[in-house]
Amino acid sequence: MTDYGPAAPHGPDMSGRHPSMVTPNFDMNQDEAKMFDKLLKPDDSYDANGVYWADMSWFKRARFVMHTDAIEARRELGNIWAMAKKDPLAPVGFYFRNMVLPGAGLGLEGYVLFSIGNLKPLFQKGFPACWGTGKGQGTACSPTWLAAIEYMEIVGIIFGQITVGIIGDWLGRRWGLIQDATIMFLGLIMLTAMWGTTYNGWIICYVWSLFFYGVGVGGEYPMTATSGMENAVGSGKISTKEDRLHRGRKVTSAFLMQGWGQFFNQVLLILLLLIFHHGSGNPPYSKVATQWTFRISFAIPAVGTLWLVYYRTFKMKSASKQLQLQKKKSNVTGYDTESLKMTFTHFGGRIIATAGAWYMNDVFFYGNKLFQSEFIGVVTNHSNSIMPGWLYNLVNVGVSLCGYYLASFLIDNKLYGRKHMQTLGFLMDFILFMIPAFNLEYYTSAAHIREFQTMYFLSSFFNQFGPNSVTFIAAAECYPTAVRATAHGFSAAVGKLGALTAAVLYNYIDTQTKFYVVPWFGLAGVFLSVCFLPDTTGLDLKEQERRWAFIRAGRGNEYHGVAVHPKHLSWWERMRGLSKQYDADLDYKQRVEEMRKEWELLMQEKFDEKAGQLNQDDWEDLEHEYSHEVHEYFKKTSRSPVLNGQEKRVPPMSGQNTAPNDAINEKRAA
């Protein structure tokens, strides 16, 4: 007699027999075992014997990783060559679509955010009555409002990071992205047109324009990180090679657009000043040249930001797909407050790592400028021109870009990866600040200023090739999808408190004291990274989501997969005993069973959807259709179902509507 219900692929039975409720006499074959191994043990993470890369000895692991990476590099280079043969500009277009566009918001943010520091020396020379520090100068503007320029900008960023992070998890990534671009566009209009009847009125307008723009800037951090990461992961249930091998590169490549924003800002400021100052970069600088320079420098990115509003509104309609799927799975319609509470309960150590390390990094990031002001004065013999400072800053941004790109190249390497990169970056910055701290006069003398200058550039390099890149990605991928933007925004906001600490602290201590204080933040960053930061390099992000599903259901101790492998947990988590849950064999059995249930559920949903639309006379057609579909499945998977001759009833799905099954079974009984 024909079976009416959807059969399910149960996978290989670990005991040697196949536990099929539909085909009890069936024994699995080798082809089916290979099929499940290919799905559950991909060859970029498991060797031929099914051993996870982190379970291998160090020598075998190194050989496996180098072999896998070599194969992937050849594949990618082959694809690039194939694209180039068809169209020489195709690789450029690919890079633009996959790396530049996802980070366009951060590029524009980097352009404007860092222009504030670049414009300050121009304002000091062009508007001495307001900004000047000489005798009789700087009296037209309130010192409080001048200091508020940096403070209010940072406060706006913190506000945006927290609020937009919550909005991104509540309304979706797409709306957060559109909102950020819109706010930044309006903020740039305000910055371009800012005015005042007095110098002090102009400064007040400048401060509030920066605050408003900062709100949009702050939102870019969680939105770019989460949308870029989830785009790499994809929306299907099966993980992808792009996620496992290139997730970090994809996010870091978007983040490094911030460096390009700084670069283009400095280039344009130099060109604009030369244009409006009659081809000369030397003082004195007129008010007219100063105004044209800074206003045009803000107007140019406004055009790009308006285009970004259009692109995100009409070309990124699926940016929230991953979040929507997660909410549907958890039966959540609004903001998932339950997941937020559980995140602080289960991932408290990770919050200390991502937020704390970001705080330490931002103190260092702003402390890096301490070098520049010291060595430029010696190298240029304390020139009154702003051009040497701008040119040296341009070189420094170029060095930083080298650090960004090397970070994107190695951040997914399983032998190095995120945690080692952040720890080494903090350690090198600590050393590079500590060396001159206790011998500052020696290194700032004319005879040894080159060594000082070298340490400045190296500190910039290791800051990008280290904590500045890793904090951005770690703050997103350490947490579940439901609260990923919130957690990233919170971590970034704590980081900006580090920038605020530096902005306030540096106003009250001299240069020598600054060099005494700053290095210890780097050492604190090393401690936080070693103790509390998990290493998510090579970890399938969907496997982490799978672990979260267990935690969300109150069964966290029943999870035994690679997300609790000692390699992917922090020292703090290992000390709490979480790594003891890892059991590769038991996890494989669980994953096979989960695939069976997912397939049954999918078939049941399809069956219920069609059954609800049919009357009693159409049951025979429905029976035939599903019987055919089941046999097609067996044919594709090389399985030959053996029925024992007994009549089968449709197995009801747990938690599902069983009315269609009951109707079918009643029809059979009749």
Side-chain angles (χ1 to χ4, degrees):
M1 186 172 183
T2 306
D3 187 5
Y4 286 75
H10 290 260
D13 181 10
M14 306 307 156
S15 64
R17 291 190 56 81
H18 189 77
S20 172
M21 70 175 71
V22 179
T23 59
N25 295 333
F26 171 78
D27 289 324
M28 75 161 181
N29 55 47
Q30 292 182 353
D31 289 337
E32 187 182 31
K34 289 179 181 178
M35 179 187 71
F36 277 93
D37 282 345
K38 187 174 182 180
L39 291 173
L40 301 180
K41 295 185 176 182
D43 57 7
D44 54 72
S45 298
Y46 294 82
D47 67 9
N49 297 317
V51 179
Y52 187 56
W53 67 269
D55 284 324
M56 303 175 191
S57 64
W58 192 92
F59 178 76
K60 289 184 178 179
R61 182 188 304 178
R63 188 170 60 179
F64 173 80
V65 169
M66 288 188 289
H67 176 70
T68 303
D69 288 353
I71 293 175
E72 183 64 9
R74 286 196 296 270
R75 185 190 69 82
E76 289 195 305
L77 290 173
N79 289 342
I80 293 172
W81 176 244
M83 283 192 293
K85 284 195 297 184
K86 292 182 179 179
D87 180 356
L89 294 179
V92 178
F94 178 84
Y95 179 81
F96 185 82
R97 290 190 304 274
N98 292 275
M99 309 299 181
V100 175
L101 281 180
L106 283 174
L108 291 164
E109 168 263 325
Y111 178 102
V112 179
L113 190 64
F114 292 93
S115 72
I116 309 310
N118 293 335
L119 285 170
K120 184 176 180 179
L122 178 62
F123 289 158
Q124 288 173 336
K125 303 296 183 183
F127 305 118
C130 178
W131 292 78
T133 56
K135 186 177 180 180
Q137 296 180 346
T139 57
C141 296
S142 166
T144 302
W145 280 108
L146 286 173
I149 291 172
E150 291 185 9
Y151 302 159
M152 291 298 287
E153 175 192 26
I154 295 173
V155 170
I157 293 172
I158 292 174
F159 180 79
Q161 287 167 334
I162 294 175
T163 55
V164 180
I166 294 172
I167 289 171
D169 286 330
W170 184 12
L171 301 179
R173 317 298 190 219
R174 177 170 176 258
W175 292 111
L177 288 165
I178 295 171
Q179 174 183 291
D180 290 338
T182 304
I183 292 174
M184 288 196 296
F185 172 69
L186 295 176
L188 282 168
I189 298 298
M190 293 167 66
L191 286 167
T192 303
M194 60 184 175
W195 202 264
T197 56
T198 64
Y199 275 125
N200 205 55
W202 169 63
I203 291 299
I204 293 172
C205 185
Y206 188 26
V207 168
W208 286 109
S209 298
L210 283 175
F211 172 82
F212 188 83
Y213 184 82
V215 175
V217 167
E220 277 301 298
Y221 283 79
M223 290 300 95
T224 301
T226 54
S227 61
M229 182 170 298
E230 289 164 4
N231 183 43
V233 173
S235 58
K237 293 183 178 180
I238 302 299
S239 64
T240 64
K241 183 176 288 188
E242 184 73 13
D243 169 32
R244 294 186 297 270
L245 298 183
H246 306 307
R247 183 176 71 243
R249 183 182 69 185
K250 191 154 191 166
V251 176
T252 308
S253 295
F255 180 61
L256 68 80
M257 290 305 298
Q258 185 184 76
W260 280 113
Q262 298 174 52
F263 181 84
F264 285 117
N265 172 254
Q266 192 64 88
V267 170
L268 279 173
L269 282 176
I270 292 171
L271 293 176
L272 288 171
L273 184 61
L274 292 175
I275 291 169
F276 295 115
H277 196 53
H278 310 296
S280 171
N282 299 319
Y285 305 102
S286 69
K287 293 180 176 61
V288 174
T290 301
Q291 287 218 44
W292 276 108
T293 298
F294 87 77
R295 293 187 190 281
I296 296 297
S297 74
F298 285 134
I300 290 174
V303 177
T305 308
L306 181 60
W307 178 86
L308 195 62
V309 174
Y310 156 79
Y311 181 81
R312 290 178 172 180
T313 303
F314 296 100
K315 304 295 183 181
M316 296 185 68
K317 295 185 178 181
S318 61
S320 303
K321 190 173 184 179
Q322 187 83 353
L323 178 67
Q324 291 169 349
L325 291 172
Q326 182 62 34
K327 283 189 173 184
K328 183 180 179 181
K329 206 171 186 180
S330 302
N331 295 318
V332 175
T333 54
Y335 186 82
D336 195 346
T337 54
E338 184 64 26
S339 287
L340 184 62
K341 293 176 185 177
M342 296 178 75
T343 297
F344 277 90
T345 302
H346 294 273
F347 294 153
R350 299 187 177 196
I351 293 172
I352 293 173
T354 58
W358 209 325
Y359 178 90
M360 305 304 167
N361 174 65
D362 269 25
V363 174
F364 252 108
F365 190 82
Y366 282 81
N368 179 262
K369 301 299 179 184
L370 298 176
F371 281 96
Q372 181 172 307
S373 60
E374 290 299 314
F375 83 77
I376 288 177
V378 177
V379 171
T380 63
N381 195 25
H382 300 283
S383 169
N384 199 33
S385 173
I386 64 172
M387 275 297 177
W390 281 3
L391 291 171
Y392 273 111
N393 186 58
L394 189 61
V395 174
N396 186 49
V397 173
V399 172
S400 298
L401 280 169
C402 293
Y404 278 121
Y405 275 100
L406 188 59
S408 67
F409 182 72
L410 290 178
I411 200 164
D412 287 312
N413 186 282
K414 297 182 180 71
L415 301 179
Y416 189 60
R418 289 114 160 103
K419 186 167 185 173
H420 290 147
M421 185 181 292
Q422 178 162 301
T423 304
L424 179 64
F426 270 128
L427 183 61
M428 289 302 298
D429 277 342
F430 167 73
I431 294 171
L432 290 165
F433 269 78
M434 185 63 74
I435 291 173
F438 292 93
N439 208 352
L440 189 61
E441 288 187 11
Y442 172 84
Y443 284 108
T444 54
S445 64
H448 301 282
I449 195 64
R450 295 300 178 188
E451 293 97 311
F452 191 77
Q453 185 178 351
T454 300
M455 287 186 284
Y456 164 61
F457 289 133
L458 285 175
S459 69
S460 295
F461 173 83
F462 279 104
N463 185 254
Q464 313 311 327
F465 180 57
N468 201 40
S469 293
V470 178
T471 50
F472 184 79
I473 184 173
E477 66 181 5
C478 284
Y479 304 106
T481 301
V483 294
R484 180 170 290 145
T486 302
H488 190 281
F490 174 79
S491 300
V494 173
K496 276 295 173 281
L497 288 177
L500 192 60
T501 300
V504 174
L505 182 64
Y506 296 166
N507 285 327
Y508 296 97
I509 57 178
D510 59 22
T511 301
Q512 177 65 75
T513 307
K514 293 172 187 175
F515 272 96
Y516 284 148
V517 171
V518 171
W520 304 107
F521 287 92
L523 197 60
V526 172
F527 171 78
L528 291 174
S529 302
V530 170
C531 294
F532 296 104
L533 183 68
D535 192 354
T536 48
T537 308
L539 174 63
D540 189 331
L541 206 60
K542 289 189 176 177
E543 187 63 25
Q544 184 158 276
E545 286 300 310
R546 179 170 164 259
R547 180 196 172 196
W548 179 251
F550 277 82
I551 294 174
R552 190 74 167 71
R555 301 187 297 118
N557 59 341
E558 297 178 24
Y559 174 80
H560 306 290
V562 295
V564 290
H565 191 287
K567 172 66 178 175
H568 299 307
L569 296 176
S570 66
W571 175 86
W572 172 253
E573 290 171 326
R574 293 197 298 271
M575 291 300 100
R576 292 175 57 206
L578 290 177
S579 60
K580 294 178 182 179
Q581 294 177 203
Y582 177 65
D583 188 324
D585 293 334
L586 181 57
D587 179 62
Y588 185 74
K589 296 177 183 179
Q590 285 182 329
R591 292 168 75 193
V592 169
E593 182 64 14
E594 286 167 13
M595 286 188 68
R596 177 189 68 80
K597 290 180 179 178
E598 286 180 359
W599 196 88
E600 283 184 343
L601 182 61
L602 176 63
M603 294 296 292
Q604 185 72 52
E605 288 175 349
K606 289 174 64 178
F607 188 88
D608 289 353
E609 181 182 352
K610 293 188 177 183
Q613 301 172 358
L614 301 178
N615 55 41
Q616 199 71 13
D617 296 333
D618 294 323
W619 284 116
E620 292 297 332
D621 293 336
L622 185 62
E623 170 197 349
H624 175 75
E625 178 181 341
Y626 270 82
S627 175
H628 174 74
E629 189 165 346
V630 168
H631 283 284
E632 282 297 310
Y633 162 76
F634 283 126
K635 184 188 299 183
K636 290 178 181 178
T637 56
S638 303
R639 291 174 58 173
S640 301
V642 179
L643 301 177
N644 61 5
Q646 298 180 1
E647 180 176 288
K648 298 291 182 298
R649 289 179 177 265
V650 180
M653 298 293 104
S654 175
Q656 299 296 312
N657 178 16
T658 60
N661 294 332
D662 295 339
I664 293 176
N665 291 327
E666 287 174 6
K667 182 174 183 294
R668 290 176 179 169

